[in-house]
Amino acid sequence: METENEKLKRLVFSIGQDLCRAVSEGKWKSPKHILLCETVRHLFRSKQLTTILNRLGHSETYDFGLELETALAKALDEVSTYRTHQIVTGEGNLVFHCEWDNLNKTTTSVHSSNIVNSAGGIMVQEVKPGFESNKVRMLRIIDKSQQRSLKVDTPETLPPLNFPRVGPKFPDGSSFTPPVENDAVYAAKMKEYYIWLFSRYIGSDGEQSVPGLGGFTSATGSPPPRKSTVDYFTPIHQPITDNAVVCELLRRSEKGDGTRRQSTRRAMPL
């Protein structure tokens, strides 16, 4: 619930920004008017509604919102995102993890439907407790040009990478049947798991708060003191199963954690 002091502070900030905009005749761009313009445009896609709010002095113009989004998209498109300032390097890093997966985009044309395959990567990092980074993520300043749409060139494709695949060579007389001792060990561990499962069920009076099969304990555990840092790699607009894409994403993963002092795990479907 919002307290009276918080409500009063929010109203003072709102009215103060309206006064600054009125005194400067709209030359000062305040956070309230910019965010309200972008929010209304994304929620309702209505130029008329945004124009009404603008004439009442509560929002920027609809065209200003288009120009701002175009400038942001252009700045992001020109930035290399192998490693951003959100990802901590050096002593502050505790665990750095990369994940790559296939991204399918279905498009429909007059001819037929088509599936465009891309490879997308994500970075997840845990930092040391109490560590605070002093780096700020900055984007390039885009000159005001009244441009309201972004023209993106066709992404370059990676050159093909071909190499012969060699299967494993097993010595003569190799056996691929698991030993009988494994069955006894597996049966004993399953009995322990069943005992643990029923103990949790009985102890919770039949209302188990977490799934029993997976053994998850997140609902009963304590929340972490700090959330994981998440950032994204630049997508590769080719199927992740291509040899060239696998080589490129491994290179990007190495470049993403090249200055880190802790071990890195990478996972990708092949």
Side-chain angles (χ1 to χ4, degrees), residues 53-128:
L53 292 174
N54 171 255
R55 291 179 178 178
L56 292 174
H58 298 296
S59 169
E60 292 293 339
T61 63
Y62 185 86
D63 293 338
F64 176 85
L66 291 178
E67 295 173 10
L68 178 61
E69 287 191 359
T70 303
L72 288 172
K74 186 176 181 180
L76 290 173
D77 185 60
E78 296 177 356
V79 170
S80 175
T81 57
Y82 287 157
R83 183 173 62 241
T84 68
H85 295 304
Q86 298 186 44
I87 300 298
V88 175
T89 59
E91 296 293 339
N93 175 61
L94 187 62
V95 177
F96 180 79
H97 181 77
C98 296
E99 287 280 353
W100 290 87
D101 203 350
N102 189 46
L103 300 178
N104 294 332
K105 180 180 180 181
T106 304
T107 59
T108 304
S109 62
V110 294
H111 302 287
S112 62
S113 61
N114 185 27
I115 297 179
V116 180
N117 295 314
S118 300
I122 187 173
M123 296 174 273
V124 182
Q125 184 184 52
E126 302 291 342
V127 298
K128 292 182 178 179

Side-chain angles (χ1 to χ4, degrees), residues 142-262:
I142 304 297
D143 296 332
K144 189 174 182 180
S145 61
Q146 295 184 347
Q147 185 178 358
R148 299 169 188 172
S149 62
L150 181 64
K151 296 181 180 180
V152 181
D153 297 331
T154 303
E156 298 180 359
T157 57
L158 299 173
L161 178 62
N162 299 318
F163 55 88
R165 293 190 176 184
V166 180
K169 296 181 179 180
F170 299 100
D172 297 336
S174 299
S175 176
F176 300 96
T177 303
V180 182
E181 294 81 3
N182 289 3
D183 296 337
V185 175
Y186 177 77
K189 295 300 180 182
M190 288 303 298
K191 288 182 180 179
E192 294 179 4
Y193 181 77
Y194 290 146
I195 294 174
W196 174 85
L197 178 63
F198 287 118
S199 299
R200 285 188 57 85
Y201 181 79
I202 295 173
S204 60
D205 296 329
E207 298 180 358
Q208 196 167 341
S209 59
V210 294
L213 294 178
F216 299 113
T217 57
S218 58
T220 58
S222 58
R226 177 171 177 172
K227 295 182 179 179
S228 302
T229 304
V230 178
D231 211 339
Y232 300 90
F233 286 99
T234 303
I236 304 175
H237 300 284
Q238 289 178 248
I240 197 173
T241 52
D242 289 353
N243 295 333
V245 176
V246 174
C247 182
E248 175 65 16
L249 64 87
L250 288 175
R251 186 186 69 83
R252 293 190 182 186
S253 298
E254 290 289 348
K255 190 173 182 179
D257 77 318
T259 60
R260 286 163 182 78
R261 306 174 65 90
Q262 301 294 333

Side-chain angles (χ1 to χ4, degrees), residues 22-54:
V23 171
S24 64
E25 297 181 354
K27 295 180 180 180
W28 291 359
K29 307 299 182 183
S30 65
K32 169 190 173 180
H33 300 86
I34 295 176
L35 293 177
L36 186 58
C37 171
E38 296 294 337
T39 303
V40 171
R41 202 183 75 81
H42 277 273
L43 288 177
F44 304 103
R45 298 290 179 180
S46 174
K47 183 176 182 179
Q48 184 178 8
L49 178 58
T50 309
T51 303
I52 292 175
L53 292 174
N54 171 255

